Amino acid sequence: MLARNIFGVFNGRPPQSFVYDTLGMMGSLGHSKAFGQLLKVRVRGVLAWFVRRTYYLLQMPGWGRRLHIMIDWSFALLFRPDIVKISLDSEAALLLREVAAGAVNVSERTEGNVGSDERSLAGMHEGKPSP
């Protein structure tokens, strides 16, 4: 359209306006639910969910990647998600927070635990790392 308009302007014709026609829009609501409009036809539910996933899959480059995605999706349909809270705080960091808050006496905490706690407190001065 742009090239045609530029050529037309050089030859004395008025430019034509550009009109974009979309092929459709889709959205996923999760758990086999979706909505969409494909070529002016509205779809929803499982059909829209399947069409959206199929379109997404076909846009992926390479059959290896597509196969990997299909396997992941199949497992996600068959098995419940694994929801596990993993604490990133180590025991030493927790101890440092408790010492800094004054909730625990350092000698109480380390009496029965010789080793890792004492090493973690070796570089500490009043609950703060020494420079």
Side-chain angles (χ1 to χ4, degrees), residues 24-97:
M25 296 178 279
M26 301 214 70
S28 176
L29 301 172
H31 301 291
S32 302
K33 295 177 186 173
F35 61 92
Q37 183 175 352
L38 308 168
L39 301 172
K40 300 181 183 176
V41 175
R42 289 186 179 180
V43 291
R44 63 182 182 175
V46 176
L47 176 64
W49 175 80
F50 181 76
V51 169
R52 182 180 177 276
R53 283 216 166 177
T54 303
Y55 176 78
Y56 175 82
L57 193 62
L58 293 175
Q59 295 304 310
M60 289 293 112
W63 284 101
R65 185 170 293 154
R66 290 177 189 168
L67 180 63
H68 186 256
I69 291 171
M70 283 191 295
I71 291 169
D72 284 348
W73 286 349
S74 299
F75 277 109
L77 287 173
L78 297 174
F79 303 107
R80 300 180 76 180
D82 185 19
I83 301 173
V84 177
K85 180 180 178 188
I86 299 174
S87 176
L88 299 177
D89 291 334
S90 68
E91 200 172 313
L94 183 62
L95 176 64
L96 293 176
R97 250 189 262 128

Side-chain angles (χ1 to χ4, degrees), residues 98-124:
E98 290 174 357
V99 169
V104 166
N105 187 353
V106 178
S107 62
E108 269 179 27
R109 180 74 180 216
T110 58
E111 280 177 4
N113 299 332
V114 176
S116 64
D117 288 339
E118 288 179 7
R119 279 179 290 201
S120 65
L121 293 174
M124 299 296 295

